[in-house]
Amino acid sequence: MTSYIIRRLISMIPVLIGITLITFILINVVPGDPVVNMMGKRVDAQTIANIRHQLGLDRPLYIQYFDFLFKAIKGDLGRSFYNHQDVMKTILQRFPATVKLSLSSMIVAIIIGLTVGIVSSVKQYTFFDHSSMIVALMGISAPVFWVAIILQLVFGLKLKWFPISGYSGLEYMVLPAIALGTRFAATIARMTRSSMLEVIRQDFIRTARAKGLSERVVIYKHALKNAMIPVITIIGLQIGGLLTGSILTETVFGIPGLGRLSIEAINNRDFPVIQGTVLFTALVFVFTNLIVDISYSFLDPRIRYDGGEG
C-alpha cells in the first residue's frame, strides 16, 4: 500500500505541471490586458507600462511561468493584482464555504441516491423503479442553475421557508445543497441500481438466500457492500468536483466559495488568483481520487496495492 501511494504521488507531479502550463497559456492567449481592465482605457500608455513592469507582466512568458512554478512549490501563489492580498490566504479563506456546500450537497445526494438505487434494484421493473429512473434522468439533464432558481422562487420567495442567498448559517445551505445534491443523487441512484442488479444475480447471493437469511440481511450486508465499489468511485469523483468549486451554485446563491472566487478572478483577469485556484483545485481533485482508490481495499479485501499491482 505504501509503495502504491508513493507511486501515485509521484505520478501527480506531471499532471499538476501540465495543468498549470495549460492554464498559464490560456490566460495569456485570451484577449485582454489585466492592467487596462484594472485601470481603464483612459490611462496613458506610460502609466500602463509602469504598472505592467511592477506586476512583472513585461517579462518573457516562460520566465513568468517558471517564476510562478518555483514559488508554487514553496507554497507561494503570489498576490492578487487587484487587492494585493496573498492568493493562498484568500483561497484558504474561501475554501471552507465550498467545503460546507460540498458536504451538504453530498449528504443529500448520498441519502437520496443510495435509497432510490437500492429500492429500485430490489423492486426491478415495478412502477417505483420506472418512475424513479425517469426522475433520475430528469435530474441529470436539468441544469443546476435552473433548479437553483426554481428552488429560490418556490421555497424562498413564495413560501419563505429558506433564505434565497447569503452565507451565515445552516439555513442558508438548504436550498444550495438540494439544488446541487439532487443532480448528483440522480447519478448515484442510477449507478447503485445498476451495480446492485449485477451483484444480486451472483451465486453467493443465491446461496445467502438459500441459507434462510432475511432479505434485509442479504441486501444490506452482502449485496450492498459488494456493489459499492463503482458507487464509491462515482461519489469520490463527485466530491472532488464539488470541492473544486461549484461555480454556478455559488454564484446563484451568493456563496463566497472557490467557484465564485474563480469567476471574480476571470472577470478581473487576475492572473495570480486564476492560476492559484486552478492549481489548488487540481490538488484537491487528485488527492480525493487517491483516497477513493485506497478505500477500495477496505470495501473488497481481494483488492491489494502491493508490489507492482495497482
Side-chain angles (χ1 to χ4, degrees):
M1 178 68 77
T2 303
S3 60
Y4 171 77
I5 294 175
I6 293 174
R7 290 199 306 272
R8 283 293 301 271
L9 291 174
I10 293 175
S11 68
M12 290 178 187
I13 296 174
V15 173
L16 294 173
I17 292 176
I19 291 172
T20 59
L21 180 59
I22 292 172
T23 303
F24 182 82
I25 292 173
L26 288 176
I27 62 178
N28 282 280
V29 167
V30 175
D33 190 321
V35 177
V36 174
N37 191 44
M38 182 168 48
M39 303 300 295
K41 295 182 179 180
R42 295 183 179 181
V43 179
D44 61 273
Q46 185 59 47
T47 302
I48 291 177
N50 292 337
I51 296 175
R52 286 181 59 83
H53 178 72
Q54 292 174 7
L55 297 177
L57 295 175
D58 57 347
R59 296 176 299 169
L61 292 180
Y62 71 91
I63 293 179
Q64 293 183 45
Y65 173 72
F66 283 111
D67 181 56
F68 164 77
L69 196 61
F70 291 140
K71 287 183 178 179
I73 293 173
K74 302 176 184 178
D76 181 8
L77 298 180
R79 291 187 172 275
S80 168
F81 286 168
Y82 280 76
N83 54 30
H84 306 293
Q85 292 183 355
D86 184 85
V87 174
M88 178 59 78
K89 184 178 179 180
T90 302
I91 290 174
L92 294 178
Q93 288 174 344
R94 295 291 193 100
F95 191 53
T98 297
V99 171
K100 191 175 181 179
L101 172 62
S102 301
L103 293 180
S104 303
S105 303
M106 192 48 61
I107 289 172
V108 172
I110 291 174
I111 292 175
I112 296 176
L114 286 181
T115 302
V116 172
I118 293 170
V119 176
S120 294
S121 65
V122 174
K123 299 182 179 296
Q124 187 182 14
Y125 302 135
T126 62
F127 174 76
F128 178 87
D129 182 27
H130 291 304
S131 59
S132 62
M133 288 302 103
I134 291 174
V135 173
L137 183 60
M138 293 172 59
I140 295 173
S141 304
V144 174
F145 70 87
W146 180 81
V147 176
I149 292 173
I150 294 299
L151 290 173
Q152 287 178 323
L153 290 173
V154 175
F155 297 101
L157 294 177
K158 294 290 184 182
L159 299 177
K160 300 186 184 301
W161 288 358
F162 304 103
I164 62 173
S165 66
Y167 176 75
S168 60
L170 288 177
E171 68 274 13
Y172 287 86
M173 284 292 107
V174 175
L175 295 184
I178 294 174
L180 197 56
T182 49
R183 179 181 180 85
F184 292 114
T187 305
I188 294 174
R190 290 174 65 85
M191 179 58 69
T192 303
R193 177 185 182 275
S194 176
S195 185
M196 283 288 291
L197 287 175
E198 184 178 345
V199 172
I200 286 174
R201 299 188 182 102
Q202 299 297 318
D203 291 338
F204 73 92
I205 295 296
R206 286 193 286 268
T207 302
R209 284 171 172 161
K211 290 180 179 179
L213 297 177
S214 67
E215 190 66 12
R216 182 182 295 273
V217 172
V218 171
I219 294 299
Y220 290 100
K221 185 176 180 180
H222 296 279
L224 182 59
K225 183 177 180 180
N226 287 275
M228 281 301 291
I229 288 182
V231 179
I232 287 293
T233 301
I234 292 296
I235 292 174
L237 292 174
Q238 290 177 347
I239 290 176
L242 288 169
L243 287 175
T244 54
S246 305
I247 296 176
L248 291 176
T249 307
E250 291 181 2
T251 302
V252 172
F253 288 98
I255 299 173
L258 286 183
R260 192 174 173 189
L261 176 64
S262 301
I263 289 294
E264 294 170 355
I266 292 171
N267 289 336
N268 294 330
R269 295 190 59 77
D270 196 342
F271 291 172
V273 177
I274 296 174
Q275 293 176 126
T277 52
V278 170
L279 178 58
F280 184 82
T281 53
L283 277 168
V284 171
F285 196 86
V286 295
F287 274 109
T288 301
N289 287 340
L290 176 60
I291 293 172
V292 170
D293 288 347
I294 293 173
S295 70
Y296 292 161
S297 62
F298 296 99
L299 289 171
D300 190 343
R302 295 171 297 178
I303 298 177
R304 290 290 181 266
Y305 296 113
D306 299 329
E309 301 176 0

